[in-house]
Amino acid sequence: MALLMEKGTEPQTESELADLDAISALKESAAIELKEEGNKYVKMGKKHYSEAIKCYTRAINQKALSDTETSILFSNRAHVNLLLGNYGRALSDSEEAIKLSPANVKAFYRAAKASLSLNKLVEAKAFSEKGLDQNPDNEELKTLKKQIDSQISELQQREAQVSKALKTAKDLVSAIEDRELKIGQATFQKLSGLKKPILDKDHILHWPVLLLYAEVMSSDFIEDFCETDMFSAHLGLISFSHSAEPLPWDKENAYTRDAIELYYEAGSGVCLSKKEIISNFLQGTVASHLETFGDDETDTVKSFPKGISSVGNNRSKWVKVNERRTLNAVLKEPNFVIPGIPVFFVVSKRSSFYKDFKSGNWSLPS
Amino acid sequence: MANEMEELIGFLSSPSPQVKKAAVDIVRGLTGSEEGLQSLASYSKTVLPSLSRLLGENKEVSELATEALVNLSQNSDLAAKMIEMGFIKTTMDILYKQGCEITGLLVMLLVNLTQLDAGVESLLQVGDDKVQGLYVMKLVRSFCTSSSEKEDDPFGHVGSILVNVSKNKAGRTLLLDPKRGLLKQIIRQFDSTSLLRKKGVSGTIRNCCFEADNQLQNLLLISEFLWPALLLPVAGNKVYNEQDTSKMPLELGSALSIEREPVSNPEIRIQALEAIYLITLQGAGRRAFWSVNGPRILQIGYEEEEDTKVMGAYEQIGSLLVEGNDTEEGSTQTSS
């Protein structure tokens, strides 16, 4: 009997035809046997899964079964692949099974499950829906679809949060640009942490402001300093009001409302680029992982309005703040580079430290 | 066979300078009366372009031509036709040509043309992205760098153009744009002794405050200049004491600590109060107003006010502030 047909030689005789039939039948029963062997292996547990796969594969390669039956083979193999965590193969097997027999419910289920594990949520949803179209009462499919739907909505929520965080950061940067403010590297991050300015619904900026008592390098915070507020209004509320106790380290009670003066450090530092500023504002939000921000203007590293980097002989210049000005008016000063958030140094006219400070002999401890 | 009017209009383009001058003189005379104007109006298609061509000629002729056009432009139909014919561009081109001798008249022509919205849009150059706002910027610069001390103050009427421009939303947005800083420049002209300029500035600021509901930051961020311009006219005449001025920002406090000229024009006082009202309608606006001790200033100004209309404007703000009182007075508290 020739098993390989040479070209041009068609089976002619009855006996040849009978032989072919016999071969077919043999192959068919072999395939069925292999399928059952595979099923047995699966029942035997994890250690035998790869054997099961081999059986199913050999059964498929017989090419002896009907489409419906072959679909079951693919679907079974998909099942084992799912159990083994071979989601890619499970998906392609399920898809093949569906092609061969669109009525194969299990195939739809396994296709959906594999897609879900691969995070292909759109495909997973489609498979589960098609499966339910054919079998609206299938409980497993129903449960799976619910699971897919909830993952999709979770993803959408997260994406919405991320874009909201990005928009907030971009709006902030835009407001800063409009006001022609200069932002530099944050200098007191241990104290200020991740604090950032806020833009309220009237598009007015509120800044967290750090006050440093230069004499002892202790600090205080003004959590919400609206840019249209004057300094005098806020200073009247902190430790210096007449009724309050003097600061614990202020042995001589030099730091009273009438004696204190506020200074900022002029010309200190290089301005950050727009991209760096957005990136900083995203720290501590759900969008902190973003590297690009969606428009060329921001992504190319361009420098912000030119700031004056350190003044000549490396000595910082201390500029006194007139309390009867608004925060915005002071921040706008051309020599003010905001170190992340505004920082102001507090000294007392009555303290012995004052002379050192004013003479320029004092500088920030590094 | 041309009739008399057609002949006259034809003479406007005559090659003979004497004929031309005589013709434009007659036309100018006609525009001075209602009947004359109406009779010219029916020939607008020919007389307007002819007059426009004369704008570039020597002063004798161009002055008369411009006067005629200024009169004609008081009629809104004719103004509309002029705008369609591109008169804004023509006028601006000649205005800014070297050695222009009819500046004041050309500016007045623009005032009339911008009474119509189409005129404002044409002046704003809304269609053209590249040059949008350029004309307005030029006019503002001329307004702010010229002084009213010159006898005729040719650019004094630019203030009125700006009032018209600010009636248009795109105009307001342009003026408020922080990057161009136009409103900031304009406000400074408030100190001018010229009533014309003061009125122009006051009216422009008031109109711009209609954007307080969505561009409040553009107003508040120039508050250093804005508050003095709005509050000084309505602060009464007395010198303020230290207790009151210490709660105000420096510029405002110092200005109120000295003797000053009262703003006698009630219209300006009303406009200032209306502007303040528009700002204080917004929460952040009220807060900023409190932080400069604004309510105290209005209280003192109101006591001295005698004009009933102006008093009404004070009262309108007063009721707003009373409503918001609890939240705003303590609004300088630091919040967590």
Side-chain angles (χ1 to χ4, degrees):
Chain A
M1 246 169 340
L3 286 170
L4 288 165
M5 303 288 272
E6 281 162 4
K7 240 202 285 196
T9 60
E10 304 290 330
Q12 296 289 346
T13 62
E14 265 188 43
S15 70
E16 281 181 324
L17 283 168
D19 286 344
L20 285 170
D21 274 343
I23 294 169
S24 275
L26 269 173
K27 282 171 126 187
E28 201 181 314
S29 54
I32 293 175
E33 255 183 56
L34 282 165
K35 176 178 122 183
E36 274 157 25
E37 212 185 316
N39 292 351
K40 257 201 307 215
Y41 274 125
V42 176
K43 290 207 182 82
M44 282 161 59
K46 241 195 235 177
K47 292 205 183 111
H48 302 272
Y49 286 165
S50 47
E51 290 298 324
I53 296 229
K54 282 196 200 134
C55 291
Y56 291 138
T57 308
R58 282 167 62 199
I60 290 170
N61 292 343
Q62 293 297 323
K63 298 201 207 298
L65 296 173
S66 69
D67 278 352
T68 325
E69 290 172 321
T70 315
S71 169
I72 296 178
L73 284 172
F74 274 109
S75 164
N76 286 2
R77 197 170 71 173
H79 174 58
V80 186
N81 272 319
L82 272 176
L83 292 168
L84 284 170
N86 299 333
Y87 301 123
R89 285 185 234 180
L91 181 57
S92 50
D93 279 346
S94 314
E95 283 174 325
E96 193 59 42
I98 291 172
K99 237 195 288 185
L100 291 168
S101 170
N104 190 339
V105 182
K106 286 195 185 153
F108 279 108
Y109 179 83
R110 287 159 189 170
K113 200 127 200 264
S115 302
L116 184 60
S117 307
L118 290 168
N119 237 336
K120 293 184 175 193
L121 296 176
V122 178
E123 290 87 333
K125 187 175 161 103
F127 282 126
S128 63
E129 281 173 350
K130 281 199 209 120
L132 279 169
D133 277 346
Q134 296 193 19
N135 304 272
D137 299 317
N138 186 304
E139 288 305 322
E140 280 183 324
L141 267 173
K142 278 199 227 167
T143 315
L144 185 59
K145 179 165 188 302
K146 269 204 208 109
Q147 198 186 351
I148 296 171
D149 283 340
S150 86
Q151 267 203 30
I152 290 181
S153 85
E154 249 181 62
L155 181 64
Q156 284 171 338
Q157 260 183 347
R158 242 197 337 265
E159 284 175 351
Q161 281 176 340
V162 168
S163 47
K164 186 164 173 221
L166 182 59
K167 179 171 189 305
T168 307
K170 277 184 169 177
D171 285 345
L172 261 181
V173 172
S174 182
I176 289 175
E177 250 187 342
D178 282 345
R179 292 153 176 71
E180 294 181 343
L181 302 178
K182 295 170 282 303
I183 313 276
Q185 202 59 260
T187 41
F188 297 99
Q189 227 154 5
K190 278 209 205 84
L191 294 167
S192 55
L194 288 172
K195 292 199 203 278
K196 10 186 132 92
I198 297 174
L199 199 59
D200 70 20
K201 61 172 175 56
D202 292 316
H203 300 273
I204 302 294
L205 274 177
H206 297 243
W207 289 93
V209 171
L210 180 62
L211 295 181
L212 281 177
Y213 297 94
E215 192 170 338
V216 294
M217 285 307 282
S218 86
S219 65
D220 214 340
F221 245 109
I222 300 176
E223 298 284 347
D224 180 343
F225 196 144
C226 177
E227 63 180 339
T228 56
D229 288 345
M230 288 202 292
F231 280 85
S232 51
H234 284 274
L235 290 174
L237 293 166
I238 325 173
S239 340
F240 319 112
S241 58
H242 298 298
S243 49
E245 298 286 306
L247 296 161
W249 46 264
D250 181 19
K251 299 296 173 213
E252 289 147 37
N253 197 16
Y255 284 74
T256 56
R257 179 72 183 91
D258 50 316
I260 53 167
E261 291 181 353
L262 242 55
Y263 289 80
Y264 66 85
E265 204 177 357
S268 51
V270 179
C271 298
L272 296 180
S273 70
K274 197 165 169 179
K275 187 172 178 179
E276 288 170 313
I277 299 176
I278 294 189
S279 189
N280 284 347
F281 284 151
L282 288 176
Q283 293 310 307
T285 69
V286 296
S288 54
H289 58 280
L290 291 178
E291 304 247 315
T292 56
F293 309 119
D295 53 280
D296 300 309
E297 211 201 289
T298 336
D299 292 339
T300 55
V301 180
K302 242 178 3 169
S303 65
F304 230 42
K306 293 286 173 192
I308 317 166
S309 12
S310 53
V311 181
N313 42 352
N314 223 14
R315 258 167 42 167
S316 302
K317 191 166 150 255
W318 299 106
V319 179
K320 185 162 172 215
V321 172
N322 183 320
E323 292 175 12
R324 282 166 63 193
R325 298 182 79 193
T326 60
L327 177 61
N328 176 258
V330 174
L331 293 180
K332 264 195 326 211
E333 290 290 334
N335 57 8
F336 196 150
V337 178
I338 303 173
I341 60 170
V343 177
F344 295 100
F345 295 85
V346 184
V347 292
S348 162
K349 279 194 296 233
R350 292 213 298 269
S351 156
S352 45
F353 173 71
Y354 191 68
K355 248 200 328 229
D356 279 345
F357 181 80
K358 292 286 283 187
S359 66
N361 288 336
W362 183 84
S363 54
L364 278 168
S366 39
Chain B
M1 181 58 200
N3 66 26
E4 270 184 24
M5 192 61 85
E6 285 169 346
E7 241 187 336
L8 175 63
I9 295 173
F11 286 146
L12 290 173
S13 320
S14 164
S16 152
Q18 292 103 316
V19 172
K20 205 178 341 193
K21 173 157 187 268
V24 75
D25 200 6
I26 297 174
V27 170
R28 194 273 306 255
L30 283 170
T31 63
S33 77
E34 190 54 41
E35 308 91 49
L37 206 144
Q38 285 306 328
S39 38
L40 280 171
S42 17
Y43 295 91
S44 61
K45 280 211 187 78
T46 43
V47 71
L48 292 177
S50 302
L51 286 172
S52 151
R53 279 191 287 271
L54 297 177
L55 291 177
E57 306 225 352
N58 64 60
K59 184 170 177 199
E60 262 193 325
V61 168
S62 60
E63 198 171 44
L64 292 166
T66 320
E67 284 173 10
L69 286 169
V70 168
N71 289 346
L72 289 168
S73 61
Q74 289 174 331
N75 174 298
S76 45
D77 289 330
L78 291 173
K81 291 202 177 96
M82 286 191 223
I83 296 167
E84 267 171 59
M85 289 180 194
F87 260 71
I88 300 271
K89 176 175 182 344
T90 313
T91 310
M92 286 298 290
D93 285 344
I94 298 186
L95 185 59
Y96 284 97
K97 221 182 205 178
Q98 274 264 358
C100 173
E101 298 177 285
I102 45 169
T103 308
L105 286 168
L106 290 174
V107 170
M108 282 200 270
L109 178 57
L110 287 173
V111 173
N112 288 354
L113 292 178
T114 51
Q115 294 276 17
L116 288 102
D117 220 27
V120 174
E121 283 170 16
S122 179
L123 188 68
L124 287 172
Q125 300 161 283
V126 283
D128 194 338
D129 278 344
K130 281 190 235 123
V131 294
Q132 195 171 12
L134 200 57
Y135 285 162
V136 173
M137 280 172 67
K138 273 175 140 168
L139 288 170
V140 170
R141 183 134 37 102
S142 303
F143 183 57
C144 297
T145 53
S146 61
S147 92
S148 55
E149 280 155 41
K150 261 197 335 188
E151 238 191 52
D152 48 350
D153 189 17
F155 283 108
H157 280 279
V158 170
S160 319
I161 299 179
L162 294 172
V163 172
N164 290 346
V165 165
S166 58
K167 288 189 186 138
N168 174 300
K169 189 170 174 76
R172 291 193 290 276
T173 305
L174 174 68
L175 294 174
L176 284 167
D177 183 356
K179 293 200 175 81
R180 304 208 204 209
L182 293 174
L183 192 61
K184 192 163 124 177
Q185 288 178 54
I186 295 168
I187 292 183
R188 289 205 177 109
Q189 281 300 304
F190 191 74
D191 291 333
S192 162
T193 46
S194 148
L195 184 60
L196 175 63
R197 282 178 176 250
K198 269 184 142 82
K199 272 185 163 172
V201 173
S202 166
T204 305
I205 300 177
R206 172 209 176 260
N207 289 350
C208 284
C209 286
F210 276 96
E211 294 301 308
D213 58 352
N214 63 87
Q215 292 192 54
L216 187 64
Q217 77 277 20
N218 291 334
L219 288 164
L220 289 184
L221 292 175
I222 48 172
S223 52
E224 253 175 287
F225 312 100
L226 188 65
W227 290 131
L230 293 180
L231 287 167
L232 287 174
V234 295
N237 303 324
K238 305 207 180 79
V239 168
Y240 279 63
N241 63 40
E242 225 221 291
Q243 193 189 24
D244 288 330
T245 58
S246 64
K247 298 196 184 106
M248 300 174 197
L250 204 52
E251 319 78 32
L252 191 56
S254 347
L256 291 175
S257 315
I258 54 175
E259 294 276 345
R260 51 196 184 277
E261 284 284 327
V263 171
S264 51
N265 182 294
E267 200 187 304
I268 293 181
R269 295 203 298 282
I270 292 180
Q271 285 175 335
L273 290 166
E274 285 177 347
I276 295 173
Y277 177 72
L278 288 166
I279 294 175
T280 49
L281 272 176
Q282 308 302 316
R286 278 196 297 282
R287 181 196 177 122
F289 190 59
W290 275 101
S291 73
V292 302
N293 209 8
R296 176 72 182 137
I297 297 176
L298 291 190
Q299 186 182 34
I300 295 178
Y302 181 61
E303 280 165 16
E304 294 179 28
E305 183 59 59
E306 289 174 354
D307 181 306
T308 41
K309 267 184 142 175
V310 182
M311 280 164 64
Y314 276 100
E315 286 154 16
Q316 196 185 29
I317 305 177
S319 46
L320 246 192
L321 293 176
V322 166
E323 276 168 44
N325 216 356
D326 311 312
T327 46
E328 264 68 53
E329 244 197 301
S331 68
T332 50
Q333 288 281 357
T334 56
S335 51
S336 54

